[in-house]
Amino acid sequence: MNINSENKQRIHDVLLSDLQRRLFKQYNTRTEFFLQNKRTDEDYDVQQTLLVDSVLHCETLNDVNDLLLNNTDLFDDDDNINVFTLEGTMNYIFKLLR
């Protein structure tokens, strides 16, 4: 299912904002792990860059679903929506657009 060009920018914006927030939260909770394994802020910056690139290449609902499947570690078990199905991805996007 293609994303309408009028809606694409807005979807990219909310998706990127949410995923960056989740990545930042994950990074902060795992900082001790990162320090022990010689990971740096540069690793975080690389992950941010890859995330932005991936989001900006989402043209269809299936692309968004693939993006979420590649970033399952950013989602807690506490999340109310199963974002890893096409229906869940669609509901996740609707929730972000509220």
Side-chain angles (χ1 to χ4, degrees):
M1 180 185 308
N2 287 330
I3 299 172
N4 192 333
S5 61
E6 293 86 30
N7 299 323
K8 196 178 299 182
Q9 183 61 48
R10 179 70 177 130
I11 289 172
H12 285 173
D13 289 345
V14 295
L15 188 59
L16 188 57
S17 176
D18 185 63
L19 293 177
Q20 284 179 319
R21 179 186 57 81
R22 291 172 184 275
L23 183 62
F24 183 73
K25 178 182 173 185
Q26 181 189 63
Y27 178 76
N28 281 337
T29 58
R30 297 173 72 188
T31 301
E32 186 175 311
F33 168 78
F34 286 132
L35 293 175
Q36 289 173 351
N37 292 299
K38 308 283 190 245
R39 293 191 178 188
T40 64
D41 287 340
E42 186 176 318
D43 296 323
Y44 174 74
D45 292 342
V46 168
Q47 288 303 314
Q48 283 280 16
T49 301
L50 292 172
L51 182 64
V52 169
D53 187 55
S54 297
V55 168
L56 294 178
H57 283 91
C58 289
E59 301 287 329
T60 66
L61 184 60
N62 196 47
D63 292 342
V64 175
N65 184 251
D66 289 343
L67 171 69
L68 299 180
L69 287 171
N70 289 331
N71 290 283
T72 57
D73 59 316
L74 297 181
F75 291 87
D76 299 320
D77 293 335
D78 298 337
D79 289 323
N80 295 344
I81 298 174
N82 177 10
V83 297
F84 308 118
T85 64
L86 280 176
E87 181 180 340
T89 297
M90 187 171 60
N91 287 320
Y92 166 69
I93 292 171
F94 289 153
K95 181 180 174 184
L96 293 177
L97 290 170
R98 280 196 245 163

